[in-house]
Amino acid sequence: MAKAPFKHGRKLCVFCGNPANSGEHIWPKWAHDLIPEVSGHKQVVFEGAVTRDVMSRVYDRNRQGSVAKVAIRRVCNTCNNGWMSEYEGKAKAMLTAMMMGRNLALGADSQRLLAEYFTLKLMVLDWTAADPIFSQEVRTAFFDGRVIPAGIQLIIAFCPDHRMSSYYRTHFQEASNVNRLAEHQPGRNVKTFAVGFGGIFLFALCIKNDAADLKLEPRQGWFQLLPAKLPLIYWPPFLATSRDEAETVASSLGALKKHARVKVADDVVGAISKIIGG
């Protein structure tokens, strides 16, 4: 059983529990040549009550260097250079073609490989803040047997706009099904990730303990990877996704307050929206 990473203090690998002595790139090194180089990036964090339309700005910082080269020091050398590196090797050719918009037919095995690869990345991205949505038990199950959590819904689209090629945004807040309020345990339990990876734009909705009973709405030009729906996906989709559409999807967790079956908490623990790039 892997040890749980410390919330504060010494950092441990989120998968095996050994000291986190290695940095995992959000966008792998081999993909850097496929992502437009920028001289700097902006990091913006908003925080405020989840029921308000306007959030207060916490900080706005201009940082040097390309966001494509950001690395998260939450894994160990053994994992990073072992099984995680094997995933990079298996997925590299397929991801390269998808990033560039080349024609591919993705069968069940290819879709499963993509789903596992993106789940791995999400579990690392989850630790950009010290309040993860994936539990140690869930990460250990993925480490031991590549078990993908039931609470992940993942969709992908092709977005050729280079401004979205190294995009990253996440939202985290508390919600509950209105019919199960009596069973609800307070705490943030719904998190989304939006990532631009070259021409691939992925959006993940992650729900802890199935607390909010949310489903992603089908959208034209988007394919659902998790839970898997299609025996064959033809890439790129006939309808490419615009920057505006990608931004709309990336910020869609804010629409929870309009959901008929969901109650969003009144600033019990607040909500955080984090944007890198832009």
Side-chain angles (χ1 to χ4, degrees), residues 12-191:
L12 303 179
C13 177
V14 300
F15 294 109
C16 72
N18 289 323
N21 54 7
S22 182
E24 168 66 358
H25 285 83
I26 302 176
W27 297 266
K29 292 180 180 179
W30 57 260
H32 292 172
D33 290 340
L34 304 177
I35 297 173
E37 182 72 22
V38 294
S39 58
H41 65 278
K42 178 176 288 188
Q43 184 170 357
V44 184
V45 173
F46 297 91
E47 184 171 312
V50 297
T51 52
R52 297 176 187 164
D53 291 328
V54 179
M55 288 183 166
S56 59
R57 182 180 293 258
V58 177
Y59 65 77
D60 182 338
R61 299 174 181 169
N62 290 313
R63 298 186 178 275
Q64 295 181 348
S66 172
V67 67
K69 298 178 181 177
V70 170
I72 301 170
R73 202 171 183 81
R74 288 289 185 178
V75 296
C76 67
N77 276 320
T78 302
C79 285
N80 203 6
N81 296 319
W83 65 276
M84 293 172 67
S85 180
E86 290 178 9
Y87 267 108
E88 295 287 356
K90 291 177 182 178
K92 180 178 177 180
M94 177 169 53
L95 288 169
T96 298
M98 293 177 68
M99 291 170 70
M100 300 180 71
R102 295 174 182 165
N103 293 327
L104 287 177
L106 306 173
D109 290 343
S110 295
Q111 291 181 48
R112 177 68 189 188
L113 175 58
L114 283 177
E116 291 180 2
Y117 179 84
F118 289 141
T119 297
L120 184 163
K121 291 292 185 180
L122 292 175
M123 288 183 173
V124 177
L125 281 171
D126 194 27
W127 278 88
T128 53
D131 194 3
I133 193 160
F134 297 115
S135 67
Q136 184 60 56
E137 181 182 6
V138 164
R139 293 193 301 272
T140 300
F142 184 78
F143 172 64
D144 288 338
R146 307 300 180 260
V147 178
I148 296 175
I152 298 182
Q153 299 174 52
L154 177 61
I155 56 177
I156 58 173
F158 180 64
C159 183
D161 192 317
H162 73 276
R163 293 170 295 182
M164 306 301 285
S165 63
S166 56
Y167 179 95
Y168 169 51
R169 179 171 183 154
T170 180
H171 289 267
F172 194 15
Q173 63 190 44
E174 178 181 355
S176 177
N177 188 301
V178 293
N179 296 320
R180 300 205 302 269
L181 288 176
E183 308 167 19
H184 177 64
Q185 297 296 315
R188 286 179 287 182
N189 56 5
V190 183
K191 196 169 191 176

Side-chain angles (χ1 to χ4, degrees), residues 3 5-12 17-20 74:
K3 294 174 285 186
F6 293 173
K7 187 170 183 179
H8 303 289
R10 187 165 63 98
K11 296 178 180 178
L12 303 179
N18 289 323
R74 288 289 185 178

Side-chain angles (χ1 to χ4, degrees), residues 158-161 164 240-247:
F158 180 64
C159 183
D161 192 317
M164 306 301 285
T241 294
S242 67
R243 182 189 186 190
D244 288 345
E245 166 74 1
E247 288 273 18

Side-chain angles (χ1 to χ4, degrees), residues 177-241:
N177 188 301
V178 293
N179 296 320
R180 300 205 302 269
L181 288 176
E183 308 167 19
H184 177 64
Q185 297 296 315
R188 286 179 287 182
N189 56 5
V190 183
K191 196 169 191 176
T192 62
F193 300 88
V195 181
F197 188 25
I200 306 170
F201 196 87
L202 66 97
F203 180 78
L205 171 64
C206 303
I207 303 170
K208 185 184 294 186
N209 301 325
D210 196 29
D213 191 25
L214 301 174
K215 301 295 181 186
L216 287 176
E217 296 294 330
R219 307 181 76 95
Q220 281 192 317
W222 293 75
F223 294 122
Q224 184 169 308
L225 272 182
L226 289 174
K229 291 185 68 176
L230 299 174
L232 197 62
I233 289 176
Y234 292 101
W235 186 270
F238 178 74
L239 181 64
T241 294

